[in-house]
């Protein structure tokens, strides 16, 4: 029983901490994210399993985490407010020649991040961009002027 | 049933449009509230770390406590905040007035042995007498103060009242909180 409670606590503590770390541009994990994932995962494992390293305990913990994840996913789809809390909402970064300074600053993004996303679509500069959107998964979507037409 | 009949729900853009052209699904009011929450959350998390370093959650100077019986016969050093599954040590100094015939008798309440998970007593007691509320240990004592160590490792969180006493001295009572 304590293991299951520890698994629940660990899941939500990790969820909150990762959510607080904000979205980073780009869908690929950088070395920093790898460090976070492995280190935090390792830390939580210690307290979740405790001294009971049996297969039974590990199996029950894995099932509990899977059940939690499924429940949270269901709640996220069922109630948009929960989805907003867990994933946030897309954010407009650039709109027809103007940066959204507040959003750029709060999300710790630089114009170079948007330009990098534009280059991956074969665009050469801001003159070819109408909108840039930071998506919920951390990717930056670029809507080019050609595409809009 | 044809394949088109399965799709009965019309799919339309139903969110606000930016410049009447692009549906982004942005909720800036929510996002601003979240940014405020983020700032508060990071402050709280920083305070948690500072509190942890100071021992607010055990294993630090804020957690350490000492208590002495009014007649100075028994002195106990312990951690008022313990962590479940984490070992710690309680140290008892027993004065010369409690030594009789080269022996010291020490009563330890059941809560210390059960809830706080006393793992080992150093030195090994010569005898152990089990009573209704705890155990009375007898140690051979040649000098003063006689020092006894009790290794603790509580299993579950909670607040526990402990009692320690030696014959002829007033008992010591203390509360120990065990965090998850």
């Amino acid at each position: 029983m304590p293991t299951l409670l520890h698994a629940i606590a660990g899941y939500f503590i990790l969820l909150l901490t990762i959510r607080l770390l904000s979205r980073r541009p780009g869908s690929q994990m950088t070395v920093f994210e790898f460090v976070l994932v492995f280190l935090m995962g390792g830390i939580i494992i210690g307290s979740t399993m405790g001294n009971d390293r049996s297969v039974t305990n590990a199996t029950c913990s894995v099932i509990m985490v899977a059940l939690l994840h499924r429940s949270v996913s269901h709640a996220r789809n069922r109630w948009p407010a929960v989805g907003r809390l867990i994933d946030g909402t897309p954010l407009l970064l650039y709109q027809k020649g103007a940066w959204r300074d507040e959003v750029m600053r709060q999300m710790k993004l630089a114009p170079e991040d948007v330009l990098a996303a534009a280059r991956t679509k074969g665009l050469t500069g801001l003159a070819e961009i109408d909108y840039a959107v930071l998506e919920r998964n951390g990717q930056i979507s670029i809507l080019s002027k050609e595409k809009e037409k | 049933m044809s394949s088109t009949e399965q799709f009965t729900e019309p799919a339309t853009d139903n969110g606000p449009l930016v410049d009447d052209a692009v549906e982004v699904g942005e909720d800036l009011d929510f996002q601003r509230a979240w940014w405020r929450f983020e700032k508060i959350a990071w402050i709280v998390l920083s305070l948690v770390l500072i509190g942890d370093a100071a021992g607010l959650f055990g294993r630090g100077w804020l957690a350490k406590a000492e208590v002495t019986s009014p007649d100075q016969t028994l002195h106990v050093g312990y951690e008022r905040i313990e962590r479940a599954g984490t070992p710690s040590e309680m140290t008892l100094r027993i004065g010369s007035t409690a030594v009789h015939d080269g022996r010291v008798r020490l009563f330890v309440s059941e809560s210390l042995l059960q809830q706080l998970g006393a793992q080992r007593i150093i030195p090994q007691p010569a005898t152990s007498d089990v009573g209704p509320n705890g155990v009375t240990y007898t140690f051979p004592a040649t000098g003063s103060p006689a020092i006894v160590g009790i290794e603790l490792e509580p299993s579950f969180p909670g607040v526990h009242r402990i009692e320690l006493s030696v014959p002829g001295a007033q008992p010591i009572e203390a509360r120990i909180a065990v965090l998850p």
Side-chain angles (χ1 to χ4, degrees):
Chain A
M1 184 65 184
T3 305
L4 300 183
L5 294 176
H6 291 176
I8 294 169
Y11 180 84
F12 284 108
I13 289 169
L14 266 185
L15 195 66
L16 175 69
T17 310
I18 297 292
R19 177 75 172 92
L20 285 175
L21 284 171
S22 274
R23 281 169 278 179
R24 280 185 56 79
S27 58
Q28 298 294 315
M29 280 206 295
T30 65
V31 175
F32 291 115
E33 272 88 37
F34 267 118
V35 170
L36 277 181
V37 167
F38 283 111
L39 191 57
M40 285 186 180
I43 292 167
I44 291 289
I45 284 170
S47 71
T48 303
M49 296 296 288
N51 294 327
D52 186 351
R53 300 185 185 283
S54 63
V55 174
T56 307
N57 198 27
T59 306
C60 290
S61 300
V62 166
I63 293 171
M64 174 51 83
V65 171
L67 202 68
L68 271 176
H69 198 65
R70 189 178 157 83
S71 305
V72 169
S73 297
H74 176 75
R76 192 172 57 171
N77 288 333
R78 176 78 177 76
W79 296 288
V82 177
R84 275 201 301 272
L85 265 180
I86 293 171
D87 294 323
T89 64
L91 290 167
L92 206 56
L93 303 172
Y94 178 85
Q95 183 180 2
K96 295 207 165 175
W99 292 105
R100 297 274 295 279
D101 291 329
E102 179 193 12
V103 178
M104 293 287 283
R105 191 180 63 252
Q106 293 282 5
M107 299 310 290
K108 299 166 188 65
L109 289 173
E112 289 74 23
D113 296 316
V114 175
L115 290 172
R119 284 194 293 275
T120 62
K121 294 193 72 180
L123 305 177
T124 54
L126 293 176
E128 295 181 65
I129 300 172
D130 256 357
Y131 303 97
V133 179
L134 178 64
E135 302 292 356
R136 300 196 302 179
N137 62 5
Q139 274 189 320
I140 296 175
S141 297
I142 302 291
L143 300 180
S144 62
K145 287 182 175 168
E146 288 83 359
K147 200 133 201 173
E148 200 191 349
K149 291 164 192 169
Chain B
M1 187 194 292
S2 71
S3 60
T4 52
E5 283 175 313
Q6 295 172 32
F7 303 99
T8 54
E9 192 77 24
T12 55
D13 288 336
N14 51 12
L17 299 178
V18 176
D19 295 338
D20 290 327
V22 185
E23 184 184 345
V24 174
E26 186 182 56
D27 187 343
L28 209 50
D29 289 337
F30 166 80
Q31 194 58 45
R32 287 189 176 118
W34 178 262
W35 286 329
R36 282 195 296 275
F37 170 75
E38 264 188 7
K39 283 194 177 72
I40 295 166
W42 281 117
I43 291 169
V44 171
L45 293 180
S46 303
L47 290 176
V48 166
L49 282 189
I50 292 168
D52 183 51
L56 192 61
F57 311 115
R59 311 285 290 175
W61 67 268
L62 275 179
K64 292 192 185 306
E66 293 186 357
V67 61
T68 307
S69 61
D71 54 7
Q72 309 289 312
T73 305
L74 181 60
H75 176 90
V76 181
Y78 66 103
E79 291 192 22
R80 62 167 73 92
I81 303 161
E82 296 266 358
R83 295 175 182 179
T86 304
S88 68
E89 187 170 335
M90 175 180 280
T91 307
L92 296 90
R93 292 173 180 274
I94 303 168
S96 56
T97 53
V99 180
H100 302 289
D101 301 328
R103 286 172 178 269
V104 167
R105 285 167 62 80
L106 171 70
F107 170 79
V108 175
S109 64
E110 190 187 358
S111 56
L112 194 75
L113 303 170
Q114 298 294 324
Q115 284 93 342
L116 290 166
Q119 304 287 309
R120 201 153 68 105
I121 296 178
I122 306 163
Q124 186 81 23
T127 62
S128 307
D129 300 312
V130 181
N133 301 315
V135 176
T136 302
Y137 297 106
T138 307
F139 302 91
T142 52
S144 176
I147 298 174
V148 174
I150 303 176
E151 289 182 2
L152 304 175
E153 192 175 328
S155 298
F156 299 102
V159 178
H160 308 292
R161 195 183 69 83
I162 61 163
E163 186 181 319
L164 298 153
S165 65
V166 292
Q170 286 176 287
I172 284 180
E173 290 185 9
R175 282 184 187 278
I176 295 178
V178 180
L179 300 182

